[in-house]
Amino acid sequence: MKINVLILILLFITILLFGCSNGTVETERLTILGNESKVIYSQLVHEDFDGLSTQVCIENNQNDMAPFLITFEIKDKLTSIVDESSSVLEIDSRNITNLSPDEDTFCIGNTLMLKKEVSQDDLRKMVNDRDLNVSVKELNGEIISSYALQKFVIGKQDGSVVKPED
């Protein structure tokens, strides 16, 4: 009798361990591609200000273009030099005109206006210190994917690099 109960308990545990897993791993529907995403330091056209242009590349894993938000979080030392009132810190995918559910990847960005001069080395350090984070969120605020932008280049607002990357 004890052996039958023990066998039933072991069978129950085995069913719980292996029966509840269907063997599939749910992937994020949108993933930020860190190797292609970057922060570009550039002189703004027709402006006396310098700026940081972000380029965030996102992979569409499930061909689902349900609306989402791209949110930029500026923190630590970077907050003292970025003029947040003149910068777009949240982008709604419903306002992006060139999104297609057929594309696997797409890139988007924004420009962060700087309110004071900072050396390129100091800017590079701030970016390397993870002071600029980007998140892709559901409209209800649930985070789909998040990444700290750490790649810093000198270039133009369109994403082209002027100096070779380090």
Side-chain angles (χ1 to χ4, degrees):
M1 181 74 166
K2 288 184 182 182
I3 293 178
N4 288 341
V5 172
L6 184 60
I7 290 173
L8 282 174
I9 291 173
L10 288 174
L11 182 61
F12 181 71
I13 291 172
T14 304
I15 290 171
L16 283 177
L17 288 175
F18 296 108
C20 293
S21 173
N22 62 5
T24 59
V25 176
E26 187 175 326
T27 59
E28 300 169 329
R29 72 178 176 103
L30 301 166
T31 304
I32 298 170
L33 301 174
N35 60 339
E36 296 179 33
S37 300
K38 58 190 164 199
V39 178
I40 305 149
Y41 174 69
S42 63
Q43 177 100 37
L44 301 179
V45 180
H46 306 297
E47 299 273 344
D48 291 332
F49 297 99
D50 293 338
L52 295 177
S53 298
T54 59
Q55 178 178 323
V56 179
C57 295
I58 299 172
E59 182 175 27
N60 181 1
N61 297 316
Q62 299 176 359
N63 290 334
D64 178 11
M65 273 303 168
F68 58 91
L69 301 171
I70 300 170
T71 304
F72 296 89
E73 178 189 3
I74 300 164
K75 56 185 191 174
D76 298 334
K77 293 179 184 173
L78 202 52
T79 58
S80 68
I81 64 165
V82 170
D83 183 358
E84 292 183 40
S85 66
S86 69
S87 301
V88 176
L89 297 178
E90 187 167 83
I91 300 170
D92 189 325
S93 67
R94 295 171 290 191
N95 297 330
I96 304 171
T97 57
N98 59 349
L99 282 184
S100 168
D102 299 331
E103 291 182 39
D104 289 340
T105 62
F106 61 93
C107 295
I108 186 114
N110 70 346
T111 300
L112 305 172
M113 302 291 289
L114 301 181
K115 57 186 174 185
K116 64 181 182 180
E117 279 190 41
V118 180
S119 73
Q120 291 178 14
D121 290 337
D122 287 343
L123 283 173
R124 181 180 309 277
K125 183 175 179 349
M126 289 176 205
V127 171
N128 290 337
D129 285 346
R130 306 174 88 126
D131 287 0
L132 182 56
N133 295 312
V134 63
S135 297
V136 179
K137 299 178 180 180
E138 299 288 0
L139 295 180
N140 66 6
E142 181 182 336
I143 295 176
I144 300 170
S145 184
S146 185
Y147 185 76
L149 296 176
Q150 292 180 277
K151 187 175 183 180
F152 180 83
V153 296
I154 309 301
K156 298 179 183 176
Q157 280 182 283
D158 64 4
S160 59
V161 176
V162 174
K163 287 187 178 179
E165 297 177 24
D166 293 341

